[in-house]
Amino acid sequence: MTILIRKVQDMERTPSKYIVLAGTFFTSLSSIIIRFSEAPALVISSYRMLFTCIMLLPLVIKNRDEFAELNRKNLILCIISGIFLAFHYATWISSIKLTTIANSTILVSCSPIFVALANYFIIKEKLSKKMIVSIIVSLAGTIIIALESTDASAGNMMLGNILAFLGAVFVAGYLVIGGIVRKSLGAGAYVFVVYAASAVALFIMCAFSGTTIYPYPPREFMLFTALALFCSILGHTLYNYMVKYVSSTLISVSTLSEPIFASLMALLIFKEIPSIYTLSGGIIIISGILTYLITQNNERLKVNN
């Protein structure tokens, strides 16, 4: 009877898997909020990270014991991870100013491809033939999207697409390092140090590029706050919270719906109609990555069994 009661209590405490979908929705708001801002991409990125760190302070104070695990090696890796994250935001947010929201969000969702390649070369994680085919298919999808911007008059779109693609490369570096550090460091300490390092790196970029960081209208600071609260805290933090209760594969797969959410909102709010290149290339990219993630999960299950 006692065992039965405990099982019922555990079921009551286990959050719904649909919370992952909520996290995906909040994360997908990022490109929409950014499009409303008139501030430079570096400024948006800098304040987003700064405000996120400020909002995380109560959680950091509560879990301050985690920082005891922060040795010199972990600290260096966290700083490097933060720099990768800074470059991710700098390139991806810049891309939203130059290309369509659909293109930007679809191309940046290619990060699992580069995570797979990095893991293959760094930790020697094996890639099956099906996984390799999935990666090639996804890369083919990016080429289809690029074809839309080959016209001379679409130079800004081409640059935006390239920046979004680089955003995927940089966020992959952040994710790979995170996977290494999180084995010996708590989530709270890791996230705060990485976000703080990212904020410092972004403000340094502003200084070296001569980008003015102040003053900006109150409207802009409201948008920066919204990015930190909805997209970073309620978006990415929900992912970090739910990874305890659901598989990382489920979370990875759910993030593939971000371009769908973002594209639909862009259609309704900004009247951005995806082109045939975006639709076909996007379907190919998402299908390839989805196949890769499912195959990867199945391969890991085989190894564990």
Side-chain angles (χ1 to χ4, degrees):
M1 185 66 178
T2 304
I3 295 174
L4 180 61
I5 292 173
R6 286 179 179 174
K7 285 185 177 180
V8 171
Q9 289 174 341
D10 290 339
M11 289 175 65
E12 289 175 350
R13 285 197 296 264
T14 302
S16 170
K17 291 182 180 181
Y18 290 107
I19 291 178
V20 175
L21 195 61
T24 303
F25 172 74
F26 283 121
T27 305
S28 65
L29 289 174
S30 183
S31 55
I32 304 299
I33 296 172
I34 290 166
R35 180 61 66 83
F36 277 114
S37 176
E38 296 177 1
L42 281 177
V43 172
I44 298 172
S45 308
S46 300
Y47 280 111
R48 174 178 181 170
M49 286 290 92
L50 175 63
F51 291 169
T52 301
C53 288
I54 293 171
M55 292 177 188
L56 284 174
L57 276 175
L59 182 64
V60 168
I61 294 171
K62 181 181 178 181
N63 299 307
R64 57 185 176 277
D65 293 343
E66 290 184 3
F67 285 86
E69 304 166 347
L70 189 63
N71 54 38
R72 183 180 178 183
K73 178 184 176 182
N74 283 341
L75 179 61
I76 292 172
L77 287 174
C78 283
I79 292 172
I80 296 172
S81 180
I83 292 171
F84 269 110
L85 187 61
F87 278 110
H88 160 69
Y89 280 126
T91 52
W92 177 62
I93 291 178
S94 295
S95 77
I96 295 173
K97 305 277 188 177
L98 298 171
T99 188
T100 65
I101 286 175
N103 281 3
S104 179
T105 52
I106 289 170
L107 290 170
V108 82
S109 70
C110 290
S111 59
I113 297 173
F114 302 106
V115 171
L117 294 174
N119 285 337
Y120 174 77
F121 289 107
I122 296 173
I123 63 176
K124 309 301 179 183
E125 187 173 84
K126 293 182 179 180
L127 292 172
S128 67
K129 290 181 180 179
K130 192 172 183 178
M131 293 162 73
I132 293 171
V133 170
S134 299
I135 291 172
I136 294 172
V137 167
S138 296
L139 290 174
T142 67
I143 295 173
I144 292 174
I145 290 178
L147 291 174
E148 181 182 7
S149 52
T150 52
D151 189 277
S153 61
N156 284 343
M157 181 177 283
M158 173 64 85
L159 178 58
N161 291 343
I162 292 172
L163 287 170
F165 193 71
L166 287 174
V169 175
F170 288 127
V171 81
Y174 154 73
L175 293 171
V176 169
I177 296 173
I180 296 171
V181 179
R182 282 285 287 112
K183 292 177 181 178
S184 57
L185 185 64
Y190 169 73
V191 168
F192 184 77
V193 175
V194 169
Y195 284 3
S198 181
V200 170
L202 286 162
F203 277 110
I204 290 173
M205 289 183 203
C206 287
F208 274 95
S209 63
T211 305
T212 303
I213 61 172
Y214 189 85
Y216 285 95
R219 171 182 177 275
E220 291 295 333
F221 283 96
M222 289 176 64
L223 292 173
F224 302 155
T225 303
L227 278 171
L229 176 60
F230 293 110
C231 308
S232 292
I233 301 296
L234 294 180
H236 293 289
T237 302
L238 272 180
Y239 289 154
N240 291 325
Y241 170 72
M242 287 301 294
V243 76
K244 178 181 177 181
Y245 303 100
V246 300
S247 70
S248 58
T249 301
L250 174 63
I251 292 176
S252 298
V253 170
S254 72
T255 61
L256 294 179
S257 61
E258 287 180 29
I260 299 172
F261 281 135
S263 299
L264 287 174
M265 286 187 282
L267 175 63
L268 295 172
I269 298 170
F270 303 115
K271 310 301 179 186
E272 281 191 5
I273 302 174
S275 68
I276 187 64
Y277 292 98
T278 299
L279 289 172
S280 56
I283 291 170
I284 291 172
I285 290 171
I286 293 174
S287 298
I289 295 174
L290 182 62
T291 303
Y292 165 79
L293 291 171
I294 293 173
T295 305
Q296 180 192 50
N297 186 57
N298 292 337
E299 292 289 334
R300 287 176 176 172
L301 288 174
K302 288 179 182 178
V303 172
N304 293 334
N305 291 334

